[in-house]
Amino acid sequence: MASWGDSLDKGVPRRTFLGGATIAGAGVLAAACGMEAGPSGDGEEMAKDDAPAKQDTKAPASEGAVAVLLWQWSEGSYGPGFNALVGEFNEIQDEVDLTVEAPSGYWDKLLAGLAAQTGPDVFLMNGVNIKSWITGGRVAADLSQYVSADPQATDDLAAALPSFVDWYSTDGKASGTPWNYSTSNTQYNVDHVVAAGLTPPAELGDGWDWNAYQEYAEKLTQRDGENITRFGSGQVHGIETGWGNFVQMSGGSVLSEDRSRCVINTPEAIEGVQFCVDMIQKHRVAPTRDEYTALRGENKIHPAFFLTQGLVSIHSAGDWYFGRYLDDPALNWDVTFLAKSPKTGQTGNNSNFRGTVMNAASNNPDAAWKWMAHSITKSVQDRIVEHFNEVPGRLDSAIEFYTSTEAAGPPPSRAMLEDSLRATIALPTHDVVTWVQMIREAINPNMNPIFDGEITVAEGLKQLEDQLNAIIDEAGSG
């Protein structure tokens, strides 16, 4: 995605399109709103690395090796990691000659190639598009024949995060293999918390719930008369790092289990969204959308700097902020899972599952599968944190490396994020209606007025449900 602030993007490893889903500027879901660059919904942070891949010199392929082309979308942040892993793959076997590229205009070129039955043999895919792409016949709909014939791959998929494997399956058929994802979590300024006489959230264990979150935000907010000089909480008006997780925690959902209908107008979902709205409008401990824009200033600083500059004390934010905190050695920060619902006892994490998919038009599917199967082995997945600073698709690799400060580095309480991993579900997307359409035509138009206090949560979610279901009905009859 394009840089949120070009001068501030100092080599921070970054991820797919939703790096700023919660950092809305003028909208509840800025990343979704800014996805002009491609049909994927991948916008801002992807575009910063949207440059032609470097042509690295590689050792000559073994005689008789089958050429396979892999595409991924970011030469800048993903390039070194993929180059290393692909190079190792080519060294340990002589049947496949794998090449990796990161073409500019990734999604447009990928769609054009798939439409022409050309393009790469294998490509990196994001979770918010996989369902509609499968429905549209753009990817190999069934890898089950390979999985069933490959006992090692079967075991490796069994070790992956179950919700991830399910998301890349359709009618019991495998449509792709897990690669990685990200977590949303509670990030906080330790010095602020301690100075207020509060126990750091990571030390509260399951006691870090909505009640504690509200209490801490109230005690950490600093005011000068009517003016707020420091917010106890960062903003919570985004689906990926904010309200979407609170809906999940309370037992609600945006879409039905089979993704055929919007079902957000429920007491559970209302409860989750209401908590977030109250933090902003009732308790005044989190910034409104306008205040959020003002905090970013004319230079539109990345919201991670709210914490480093002391503008907020606690963030409900994504792990893609970590790299920015590490650039500020003076910041004493830590993390834990998102505050749990006091009713369900559950935390939440709506994530964009990034998987590996085979081109249905590949001339070398057997050879392509060899890389896909290799990519889900523990030896490769164990390297995801090292190379990409993201969560491995395998749960065992994620727990061993992502939640380990010794293996992954700061923050010190990474182990608390195991709850976040186990709670992770896919961002809600429909099988026909695209993510971009959902966001622009139903979610944003109704969530923005809710968070602006112009309409009640119940009224807004009812309108959202009706509008999205109307879009779904039209898509089904179109």
mmCIF file of all heavy atoms in Angstrom, residues 265-298:
data_model
loop_
_atom_site.group_PDB
_atom_site.id
_atom_site.type_symbol
_atom_site.label_atom_id
_atom_site.label_comp_id
_atom_site.label_asym_id
_atom_site.label_seq_id
_atom_site.Cartn_x
_atom_site.Cartn_y
_atom_site.Cartn_z
ATOM 1 N N ASN A 265 -27.171 -6.918 12.444
ATOM 2 C CA ASN A 265 -28.179 -6.275 13.288
ATOM 3 C C ASN A 265 -28.667 -7.245 14.369
ATOM 4 O O ASN A 265 -29.790 -7.741 14.344
ATOM 5 C CB ASN A 265 -29.359 -5.797 12.431
ATOM 6 C CG ASN A 265 -30.407 -5.058 13.243
ATOM 7 O OD1 ASN A 265 -30.076 -4.386 14.210
ATOM 8 N ND2 ASN A 265 -31.660 -5.194 12.847
ATOM 9 N N THR A 266 -27.782 -7.529 15.325
ATOM 10 C CA THR A 266 -28.096 -8.426 16.431
ATOM 11 C C THR A 266 -27.703 -7.765 17.742
ATOM 12 O O THR A 266 -26.860 -6.850 17.761
ATOM 13 C CB THR A 266 -27.330 -9.760 16.310
ATOM 14 O OG1 THR A 266 -25.915 -9.487 16.405
ATOM 15 C CG2 THR A 266 -27.633 -10.453 14.981
ATOM 16 N N PRO A 267 -28.264 -8.200 18.861
ATOM 17 C CA PRO A 267 -27.867 -7.626 20.151
ATOM 18 C C PRO A 267 -26.376 -7.750 20.420
ATOM 19 O O PRO A 267 -25.764 -6.849 21.009
ATOM 20 C CB PRO A 267 -28.691 -8.438 21.157
ATOM 21 C CG PRO A 267 -29.897 -8.889 20.386
ATOM 22 C CD PRO A 267 -29.392 -9.159 19.000
ATOM 23 N N GLU A 268 -25.790 -8.877 19.999
ATOM 24 C CA GLU A 268 -24.360 -9.093 20.243
ATOM 25 C C GLU A 268 -23.515 -8.075 19.470
ATOM 26 O O GLU A 268 -22.586 -7.472 20.022
ATOM 27 C CB GLU A 268 -23.961 -10.513 19.844
ATOM 28 C CG GLU A 268 -24.568 -11.606 20.704
ATOM 29 C CD GLU A 268 -26.008 -11.943 20.310
ATOM 30 O OE1 GLU A 268 -26.485 -11.445 19.265
ATOM 31 O OE2 GLU A 268 -26.654 -12.697 21.058
ATOM 32 N N ALA A 269 -23.814 -7.901 18.184
ATOM 33 C CA ALA A 269 -23.049 -6.951 17.379
ATOM 34 C C ALA A 269 -23.272 -5.528 17.862
ATOM 35 O O ALA A 269 -22.328 -4.718 17.926
ATOM 36 C CB ALA A 269 -23.431 -7.083 15.906
ATOM 37 N N ILE A 270 -24.503 -5.204 18.205
ATOM 38 C CA ILE A 270 -24.799 -3.868 18.728
ATOM 39 C C ILE A 270 -23.979 -3.600 19.983
ATOM 40 O O ILE A 270 -23.417 -2.513 20.166
ATOM 41 C CB ILE A 270 -26.309 -3.727 19.017
ATOM 42 C CG1 ILE A 270 -27.100 -3.727 17.700
ATOM 43 C CG2 ILE A 270 -26.597 -2.462 19.817
ATOM 44 C CD1 ILE A 270 -28.601 -3.812 17.883
ATOM 45 N N GLU A 271 -23.877 -4.597 20.849
ATOM 46 C CA GLU A 271 -23.108 -4.446 22.090
ATOM 47 C C GLU A 271 -21.643 -4.139 21.792
ATOM 48 O O GLU A 271 -21.035 -3.262 22.423
ATOM 49 C CB GLU A 271 -23.213 -5.726 22.923
ATOM 50 C CG GLU A 271 -22.455 -5.673 24.230
ATOM 51 C CD GLU A 271 -22.568 -6.976 25.006
ATOM 52 O OE1 GLU A 271 -22.349 -8.055 24.415
ATOM 53 O OE2 GLU A 271 -22.888 -6.916 26.201
ATOM 54 N N GLY A 272 -21.052 -4.865 20.837
ATOM 55 C CA GLY A 272 -19.647 -4.654 20.508
ATOM 56 C C GLY A 272 -19.385 -3.277 19.929
ATOM 57 O O GLY A 272 -18.431 -2.596 20.315
ATOM 58 N N VAL A 273 -20.217 -2.861 18.984
ATOM 59 C CA VAL A 273 -20.036 -1.549 18.375
ATOM 60 C C VAL A 273 -20.324 -0.444 19.388
ATOM 61 O O VAL A 273 -19.621 0.573 19.437
ATOM 62 C CB VAL A 273 -20.934 -1.399 17.129
ATOM 63 C CG1 VAL A 273 -20.836 0.022 16.569
ATOM 64 C CG2 VAL A 273 -20.545 -2.413 16.054
ATOM 65 N N GLN A 274 -21.352 -0.653 20.233
ATOM 66 C CA GLN A 274 -21.712 0.364 21.230
ATOM 67 C C GLN A 274 -20.557 0.641 22.179
ATOM 68 O O GLN A 274 -20.316 1.804 22.553
ATOM 69 C CB GLN A 274 -22.941 -0.092 22.018
ATOM 70 C CG GLN A 274 -23.519 0.987 22.935
ATOM 71 C CD GLN A 274 -24.160 2.119 22.148
ATOM 72 O OE1 GLN A 274 -25.127 1.891 21.424
ATOM 73 N NE2 GLN A 274 -23.634 3.324 22.281
ATOM 74 N N PHE A 275 -19.836 -0.408 22.571
ATOM 75 C CA PHE A 275 -18.696 -0.189 23.455
ATOM 76 C C PHE A 275 -17.688 0.753 22.800
ATOM 77 O O PHE A 275 -17.183 1.691 23.437
ATOM 78 C CB PHE A 275 -18.021 -1.518 23.800
ATOM 79 C CG PHE A 275 -16.748 -1.340 24.582
ATOM 80 C CD1 PHE A 275 -16.784 -1.102 25.941
ATOM 81 C CD2 PHE A 275 -15.516 -1.393 23.945
ATOM 82 C CE1 PHE A 275 -15.606 -0.910 26.672
ATOM 83 C CE2 PHE A 275 -14.336 -1.208 24.661
ATOM 84 C CZ PHE A 275 -14.384 -0.963 26.028
ATOM 85 N N CYS A 276 -17.398 0.529 21.522
ATOM 86 C CA CYS A 276 -16.427 1.364 20.814
ATOM 87 C C CYS A 276 -16.933 2.792 20.671
ATOM 88 O O CYS A 276 -16.176 3.757 20.871
ATOM 89 C CB CYS A 276 -16.136 0.769 19.437
ATOM 90 S SG CYS A 276 -15.360 -0.858 19.482
ATOM 91 N N VAL A 277 -18.202 2.944 20.321
ATOM 92 C CA VAL A 277 -18.774 4.276 20.169
ATOM 93 C C VAL A 277 -18.771 5.027 21.496
ATOM 94 O O VAL A 277 -18.454 6.224 21.552
ATOM 95 C CB VAL A 277 -20.205 4.191 19.600
ATOM 96 C CG1 VAL A 277 -20.884 5.566 19.611
ATOM 97 C CG2 VAL A 277 -20.175 3.638 18.174
ATOM 98 N N ASP A 278 -19.087 4.343 22.572
ATOM 99 C CA ASP A 278 -19.116 4.990 23.888
ATOM 100 C C ASP A 278 -17.729 5.484 24.306
ATOM 101 O O ASP A 278 -17.617 6.521 24.988
ATOM 102 C CB ASP A 278 -19.663 4.031 24.942
ATOM 103 C CG ASP A 278 -21.174 3.855 24.857
ATOM 104 O OD1 ASP A 278 -21.818 4.628 24.116
ATOM 105 O OD2 ASP A 278 -21.706 2.936 25.516
ATOM 106 N N MET A 279 -16.692 4.757 23.924
ATOM 107 C CA MET A 279 -15.338 5.213 24.246
ATOM 108 C C MET A 279 -15.077 6.582 23.621
ATOM 109 O O MET A 279 -14.368 7.420 24.197
ATOM 110 C CB MET A 279 -14.313 4.199 23.739
ATOM 111 C CG MET A 279 -14.343 2.860 24.469
ATOM 112 S SD MET A 279 -13.511 2.889 26.070
ATOM 113 C CE MET A 279 -11.805 2.776 25.561
ATOM 114 N N ILE A 280 -15.663 6.794 22.456
ATOM 115 C CA ILE A 280 -15.455 8.054 21.736
ATOM 116 C C ILE A 280 -16.453 9.119 22.166
ATOM 117 O O ILE A 280 -16.081 10.223 22.561
ATOM 118 C CB ILE A 280 -15.562 7.812 20.215
ATOM 119 C CG1 ILE A 280 -14.464 6.863 19.744
ATOM 120 C CG2 ILE A 280 -15.506 9.131 19.447
ATOM 121 C CD1 ILE A 280 -14.648 6.356 18.330
ATOM 122 N N GLN A 281 -17.739 8.806 22.087
ATOM 123 C CA GLN A 281 -18.779 9.809 22.248
ATOM 124 C C GLN A 281 -19.221 10.019 23.700
ATOM 125 O O GLN A 281 -19.507 11.146 24.096
ATOM 126 C CB GLN A 281 -20.001 9.417 21.390
ATOM 127 C CG GLN A 281 -19.743 9.403 19.896
ATOM 128 C CD GLN A 281 -19.481 10.795 19.342
ATOM 129 O OE1 GLN A 281 -19.776 11.802 19.982
ATOM 130 N NE2 GLN A 281 -18.912 10.865 18.143
ATOM 131 N N LYS A 282 -19.280 8.967 24.472
ATOM 132 C CA LYS A 282 -19.784 9.067 25.845
ATOM 133 C C LYS A 282 -18.678 9.363 26.845
ATOM 134 O O LYS A 282 -18.760 10.325 27.625
ATOM 135 C CB LYS A 282 -20.515 7.777 26.229
ATOM 136 C CG LYS A 282 -21.078 7.779 27.646
ATOM 137 C CD LYS A 282 -21.795 6.452 27.930
ATOM 138 C CE LYS A 282 -22.341 6.416 29.350
ATOM 139 N NZ LYS A 282 -23.035 5.108 29.637
ATOM 140 N N HIS A 283 -17.640 8.556 26.820
ATOM 141 C CA HIS A 283 -16.572 8.703 27.813
ATOM 142 C C HIS A 283 -15.493 9.696 27.376
ATOM 143 O O HIS A 283 -14.725 10.162 28.220
ATOM 144 C CB HIS A 283 -15.951 7.339 28.111
ATOM 145 C CG HIS A 283 -16.943 6.303 28.538
ATOM 146 N ND1 HIS A 283 -17.686 6.423 29.687
ATOM 147 C CD2 HIS A 283 -17.335 5.124 27.954
ATOM 148 C CE1 HIS A 283 -18.490 5.370 29.811
ATOM 149 N NE2 HIS A 283 -18.292 4.576 28.772
ATOM 150 N N ARG A 284 -15.419 9.977 26.057
ATOM 151 C CA ARG A 284 -14.464 10.929 25.501
ATOM 152 C C ARG A 284 -13.021 10.583 25.859
ATOM 153 O O ARG A 284 -12.225 11.425 26.268
ATOM 154 C CB ARG A 284 -14.784 12.357 25.974
ATOM 155 C CG ARG A 284 -16.103 12.886 25.481
ATOM 156 C CD ARG A 284 -16.156 13.048 23.947
ATOM 157 N NE ARG A 284 -15.209 14.067 23.507
ATOM 158 C CZ ARG A 284 -14.234 13.831 22.631
ATOM 159 N NH1 ARG A 284 -14.080 12.614 22.116
ATOM 160 N NH2 ARG A 284 -13.433 14.794 22.262
ATOM 161 N N VAL A 285 -12.703 9.311 25.688
ATOM 162 C CA VAL A 285 -11.346 8.861 25.982
ATOM 163 C C VAL A 285 -10.632 8.357 24.733
ATOM 164 O O VAL A 285 -9.480 7.937 24.794
ATOM 165 C CB VAL A 285 -11.366 7.748 27.056
ATOM 166 C CG1 VAL A 285 -11.866 8.303 28.383
ATOM 167 C CG2 VAL A 285 -12.201 6.554 26.616
ATOM 168 N N ALA A 286 -11.319 8.402 23.588
ATOM 169 C CA ALA A 286 -10.740 8.021 22.306
ATOM 170 C C ALA A 286 -11.143 9.082 21.284
ATOM 171 O O ALA A 286 -12.218 9.686 21.391
ATOM 172 C CB ALA A 286 -11.247 6.642 21.868
ATOM 173 N N PRO A 287 -10.286 9.343 20.298
ATOM 174 C CA PRO A 287 -10.565 10.436 19.360
ATOM 175 C C PRO A 287 -11.721 10.131 18.404
ATOM 176 O O PRO A 287 -11.910 8.994 17.984
ATOM 177 C CB PRO A 287 -9.254 10.579 18.587
ATOM 178 C CG PRO A 287 -8.614 9.231 18.674
ATOM 179 C CD PRO A 287 -8.989 8.703 20.030
ATOM 180 N N THR A 288 -12.482 11.196 18.104
ATOM 181 C CA THR A 288 -13.471 11.097 17.028
ATOM 182 C C THR A 288 -12.716 10.991 15.711
ATOM 183 O O THR A 288 -11.488 11.155 15.645
ATOM 184 C CB THR A 288 -14.357 12.346 16.985
ATOM 185 O OG1 THR A 288 -13.540 13.486 16.665
ATOM 186 C CG2 THR A 288 -15.050 12.579 18.322
ATOM 187 N N ARG A 289 -13.448 10.777 14.638
ATOM 188 C CA ARG A 289 -12.783 10.710 13.334
ATOM 189 C C ARG A 289 -12.138 12.048 12.990
ATOM 190 O O ARG A 289 -11.038 12.093 12.432
ATOM 191 C CB ARG A 289 -13.776 10.278 12.253
ATOM 192 C CG ARG A 289 -14.261 8.850 12.450
ATOM 193 C CD ARG A 289 -15.035 8.328 11.240
ATOM 194 N NE ARG A 289 -16.079 9.242 10.822
ATOM 195 C CZ ARG A 289 -16.174 9.779 9.600
ATOM 196 N NH1 ARG A 289 -15.268 9.487 8.690
ATOM 197 N NH2 ARG A 289 -17.177 10.573 9.294
ATOM 198 N N ASP A 290 -12.795 13.148 13.316
ATOM 199 C CA ASP A 290 -12.214 14.465 13.048
ATOM 200 C C ASP A 290 -10.984 14.711 13.917
ATOM 201 O O ASP A 290 -9.976 15.262 13.440
ATOM 202 C CB ASP A 290 -13.252 15.561 13.303
ATOM 203 C CG ASP A 290 -14.329 15.629 12.235
ATOM 204 O OD1 ASP A 290 -14.107 15.057 11.143
ATOM 205 O OD2 ASP A 290 -15.377 16.241 12.496
ATOM 206 N N GLU A 291 -11.047 14.314 15.173
ATOM 207 C CA GLU A 291 -9.892 14.480 16.047
ATOM 208 C C GLU A 291 -8.733 13.601 15.601
ATOM 209 O O GLU A 291 -7.564 14.001 15.684
ATOM 210 C CB GLU A 291 -10.283 14.150 17.492
ATOM 211 C CG GLU A 291 -11.189 15.201 18.123
ATOM 212 C CD GLU A 291 -11.808 14.742 19.415
ATOM 213 O OE1 GLU A 291 -11.950 13.520 19.634
ATOM 214 O OE2 GLU A 291 -12.164 15.620 20.236
ATOM 215 N N TYR A 292 -9.066 12.438 15.113
ATOM 216 C CA TYR A 292 -8.044 11.539 14.581
ATOM 217 C C TYR A 292 -7.317 12.193 13.412
ATOM 218 O O TYR A 292 -6.085 12.184 13.323
ATOM 219 C CB TYR A 292 -8.707 10.233 14.141
ATOM 220 C CG TYR A 292 -7.828 9.348 13.307
ATOM 221 C CD1 TYR A 292 -6.929 8.471 13.905
ATOM 222 C CD2 TYR A 292 -7.886 9.397 11.925
ATOM 223 C CE1 TYR A 292 -6.109 7.671 13.138
ATOM 224 C CE2 TYR A 292 -7.071 8.596 11.153
ATOM 225 C CZ TYR A 292 -6.180 7.742 11.761
ATOM 226 O OH TYR A 292 -5.363 6.956 10.997
ATOM 227 N N THR A 293 -8.080 12.797 12.500
ATOM 228 C CA THR A 293 -7.486 13.490 11.360
ATOM 229 C C THR A 293 -6.609 14.640 11.830
ATOM 230 O O THR A 293 -5.509 14.861 11.304
ATOM 231 C CB THR A 293 -8.588 14.017 10.425
ATOM 232 O OG1 THR A 293 -9.370 12.921 9.953
ATOM 233 C CG2 THR A 293 -7.984 14.751 9.234
ATOM 234 N N ALA A 294 -7.079 15.375 12.843
ATOM 235 C CA ALA A 294 -6.300 16.494 13.372
ATOM 236 C C ALA A 294 -4.997 16.009 14.010
ATOM 237 O O ALA A 294 -3.948 16.659 13.877
ATOM 238 C CB ALA A 294 -7.132 17.264 14.395
ATOM 239 N N LEU A 295 -5.040 14.867 14.692
ATOM 240 C CA LEU A 295 -3.832 14.318 15.303
ATOM 241 C C LEU A 295 -2.781 13.968 14.247
ATOM 242 O O LEU A 295 -1.581 14.110 14.485
ATOM 243 C CB LEU A 295 -4.169 13.069 16.123
ATOM 244 C CG LEU A 295 -4.883 13.286 17.463
ATOM 245 C CD1 LEU A 295 -5.294 11.955 18.056
ATOM 246 C CD2 LEU A 295 -4.010 14.055 18.429
ATOM 247 N N ARG A 296 -3.233 13.528 13.100
ATOM 248 C CA ARG A 296 -2.286 13.162 12.043
ATOM 249 C C ARG A 296 -1.653 14.395 11.419
ATOM 250 O O ARG A 296 -0.532 14.320 10.904
ATOM 251 C CB ARG A 296 -2.984 12.333 10.965
ATOM 252 C CG ARG A 296 -3.427 10.967 11.456
ATOM 253 C CD ARG A 296 -3.851 10.074 10.311
ATOM 254 N NE ARG A 296 -2.730 9.787 9.444
ATOM 255 C CZ ARG A 296 -2.863 9.299 8.206
ATOM 256 N NH1 ARG A 296 -4.058 9.077 7.708
ATOM 257 N NH2 ARG A 296 -1.803 9.047 7.474
ATOM 258 N N GLY A 297 -2.351 15.523 11.484
ATOM 259 C CA GLY A 297 -1.774 16.769 11.001
ATOM 260 C C GLY A 297 -1.670 16.855 9.496
ATOM 261 O O GLY A 297 -2.082 15.955 8.755
ATOM 262 N N GLU A 298 -1.100 17.963 9.041
ATOM 263 C CA GLU A 298 -0.985 18.204 7.606
ATOM 264 C C GLU A 298 -0.101 17.172 6.925
ATOM 265 O O GLU A 298 -0.307 16.832 5.770
ATOM 266 C CB GLU A 298 -0.438 19.606 7.353
ATOM 267 C CG GLU A 298 -1.382 20.735 7.765
ATOM 268 C CD GLU A 298 -0.821 22.111 7.453
ATOM 269 O OE1 GLU A 298 0.312 22.166 6.907
ATOM 270 O OE2 GLU A 298 -1.505 23.103 7.742
#
